[in-house]
Amino acid sequence: MLYQLSYITSSWFPGGVVAVGEHKSSKAFSTCKRQAKKIFRAQHRKLKAVICYAYRVYFGLNSKPTQIPVHFSIQNILFLLVAVAGFGLFIWQARKIRANILVGRDRDMSGHVNERLWKTVLVAFGQQKMFKRLTPAILHLIVYVGFIVINIEVIEILIDGLFGTHRVLQFLGPLYSALTGTNEILGALVVLAVAAFWWRRNVKGIRRFTGPELRAWPKLDANIILYIEVALMAALFLMNSADLKLHQLEGKDLPGAFPISQFLTGLLPENTTALHALERVGWWAHIVGILCFLNYLPSSKHFHIIMAFPNVYFSRLMPQGQFSNVDSITHEVKAMMDPTYEVPTPPASEGAEAAPTAFGAKDVNDLAWTNLLHAYSCTECGRCTSVCPANLTGKLLSPRKIIMDTRDRMEEKYNSPLIFNPNLYGKEAKHDPQEQLDKENHTLLRGYVTPEELWACTTCNACVEACPVNINPLESIIEMRRFLVLEESAAPNSLNVMFSNIENNGAPWAFSPSDRFNWADDLYVADKSATVA
Amino acid sequence: MAEQTAKRQVSVPMMADLAARGETPEVLFWVGCAGAFDDRYKRVTRAFVRILEHVGVNYAVLGMEETCTGDPAKRAGNEFLFQMQAMQNITTLNGYGIKKVVTACPHCFNTIKNEYPALGGEYEVIHHSTFLQQLINEGRVKAEGGESFKGRRITFHDSCYLGRANNIYEAPRAVLEVLDADLLEMKRCKTNGLCCGAGGAQMWKEPEPGKKDVNIERAEEALATLDGDADVLLNLQGVESTAPVLPAGSNRGGSVIAVACPFCMTMMADGVKNKEREQDVQVFDLAELIASAEGLNA
């Protein structure tokens, strides 16, 4: 039995796929088309044989297997081209993003694989931190589960599209009904959830959906995502209801369950040609929409649906209060305190040309690669900013803005995806030529993030705690503070006084070190044992 | 009863003296700059020493050999100064062979516990809230024989460097529970706790321009919690509260905002004062509450 199965598969897969690859590059398109048709037809017979065989083996049925309708046409060639173009374009964009992230400073995030995986399961996959706020968590869960489950149907669409089958997963029988039925219900719930999201964002006036960083492109982007999601669901329902009505008019049974579409058939025309066309429109709109959405992601905050997973996996495991120690400073301090201390030399291969790096961060390439990964995982939800004590009390600091600025600056300086609309915070209106020329200061620090924002941070970790995907704005803030203090001596004056107090008195206040033990003077304690005795 | 209680003068053991006698203490009490210099927090240091003396812990302090851990320098971006301070302190602590450190300052606690190990200073570091919890669990502190807090309202303000920074939320609450008081949680508590506004070296600088100071926002929340004033709580989102300030003393006298950090102490006390409520609401550290409940003040 196994032998038979492996024979069928091996004879089916290699030849066909390779042949398509070869002919695609040939210039004689018509020959290619005929050849491809021939190959695909041959494949279909084999595919049907495999599926029927698998059906009988797995379900142990003796009855005749379901006849999967096959209608191979030019549409399938077209679909192959569209799919290759869609995925190809996405890979091209993803590589640019990857290059941007790798611009960051090296940071070892290896090890602790089990701990990291478990955290990814809880925080990214299980959305643990979302449930701190129940209403948005439930709405988000609907869209998230909808996205995952409905994408199972995308697998069917891909197979149907490539091989001219129709609803190829129908061989699953009752399971197929469960799948299509669940999809329809989730699809309807997604539409409702998206409507609620739109209302919360545009009507209800929730504070975290406002702010200087959430105007222009980011504001539009957030709504575009919602519109695309509704459009995709509409395409799904159009496809299903047209298909359902078509089968009803032809007196045939459509495999699957359609709890929502069965009520929509009344809205459609009675003409079979029109219905067939509508079914195709729905089908194409759904899959082309998905491919467009996929390529929209790198330009959008919606990229979080992919980046949240690596971001959580590579997030910090140490206590939130622990700040990094700068190794190069450690060597300097050790050498100062002990003249015999030898600073370890970096590996010779790199050491020869490695330029001396600045302390802290002036621009995006001074941040660690994980901080740059954060920027691509941010969905601009503003939970960080909404709990920031500085922001709550009207200061300029907004942790979300720092993360969004990092992404804008990265794409301005290095690679940008298809759409790049950096948030200039009203600067475009000023047309200040001097500012345009001032390249020296056009960096992440000063060009985007002002020292006033950085100095307002209380390092309280509320933003870090609030982020549902473990983004850490505090690390970037501290790195930029380090640059201001260590490279530019640009701390606020009162902090410079504090520094010199520590240097001179060993305390941040101007007290004499000799008074440090005065607290112990005239200290008495009630002697309770004496009373008892 | 109280006047009959005998009192004795405490001679705080200095580490240098112990070392000279060839002794090592069970635990080193890291006093911290605020604990040593800030007039208000000196009272917390003294209260904690009274507890240590009362239960007979074998402890010592560094005295004049202690210097700033470097926390404010590090949070302000001055990594160089931080490491200078850290190396100096590590040399002192390692020189005495210190194994365990207790401190009443969450900033010192966080720095020594998390940031010193990479520089060569590895110790068991424990915050005084956890230390007090252990003493209570062991039955060495019963919070009996002193001031009664029964029925009084207490709300605990989480320190960022204890809570979110190091996940210590339960120890301070467990300590407060022995007081048999009416413990109230603020709306923003534990992981959602609102900063007092002093962390990250803000203690030493003026705040950036804004609508309001952070400590006022937090003090309003604490006072509204103690007063049970839901209207004020609903309005708190950085907006200056328009609710009438209750006349001093008209409410539940003797309500307490409990803190476990010297900076939170300063900020909350300033906030209460700003709201003109210092007559009926006091800000106390955990150690002060336990010392007075145990009747150790003399």
Side-chain angles (χ1 to χ4, degrees), chain A residues 268-391:
Chain A
L268 298 172
E270 301 292 321
N271 179 334
T272 50
T273 321
L275 281 175
H276 189 74
L278 283 175
E279 190 272 335
R280 286 290 90 193
V281 167
W283 188 90
W284 276 97
H286 192 67
I287 189 64
V288 171
I290 284 172
L291 289 173
C292 287
F293 204 20
L294 183 68
N295 278 290
Y296 178 71
L297 292 184
S299 312
S300 163
K301 80 191 189 87
H302 211 56
F303 207 24
H304 80 282
I305 63 172
I306 295 170
M307 301 305 275
F309 293 88
N311 194 64
V312 171
Y313 181 84
F314 288 115
S315 57
R316 287 163 41 120
L317 298 173
M318 47 194 187
Q320 283 177 6
Q322 182 177 343
F323 289 16
S324 63
N325 288 329
V326 182
D327 289 339
S328 54
I329 292 181
T330 310
H331 297 316
E332 258 184 74
V333 172
K334 279 188 176 164
M336 263 177 66
M337 294 180 80
D338 174 13
T340 62
Y341 179 79
E342 277 184 37
V343 178
T345 44
S349 55
E350 290 175 49
E353 38 187 321
T357 48
F359 294 125
K362 184 186 191 188
D363 213 343
V364 282
N365 50 316
D366 298 324
L367 293 169
W369 66 273
T370 47
N371 302 126
L372 304 184
L373 178 62
H374 291 331
Y376 280 108
S377 319
C378 176
T379 193
E380 300 165 15
C381 70
R383 282 169 173 75
C384 52
T385 295
S386 74
V387 295
C388 172
N391 191 279

Side-chain angles (χ1 to χ4, degrees), chain A residues 60-116:
Chain A
L61 298 174
N62 288 323
S63 61
K64 274 189 175 180
T66 323
Q67 284 295 310
I68 297 170
V70 179
H71 178 76
F72 191 77
S73 74
I74 182 78
Q75 276 196 40
N76 304 99
I77 305 291
L78 196 62
F79 176 79
L80 179 69
L81 296 176
V82 167
V84 167
F87 286 111
L89 186 61
F90 178 73
I91 291 166
W92 179 68
Q93 291 200 79
R95 288 172 65 94
K96 284 180 156 197
I97 305 290
R98 184 174 179 270
N100 276 3
I101 292 170
L102 292 180
V103 156
R105 279 188 186 170
D106 203 17
R107 181 172 176 182
D108 187 13
M109 282 294 183
S110 58
H112 303 280
V113 174
N114 287 342
E115 197 180 343
R116 290 182 182 282

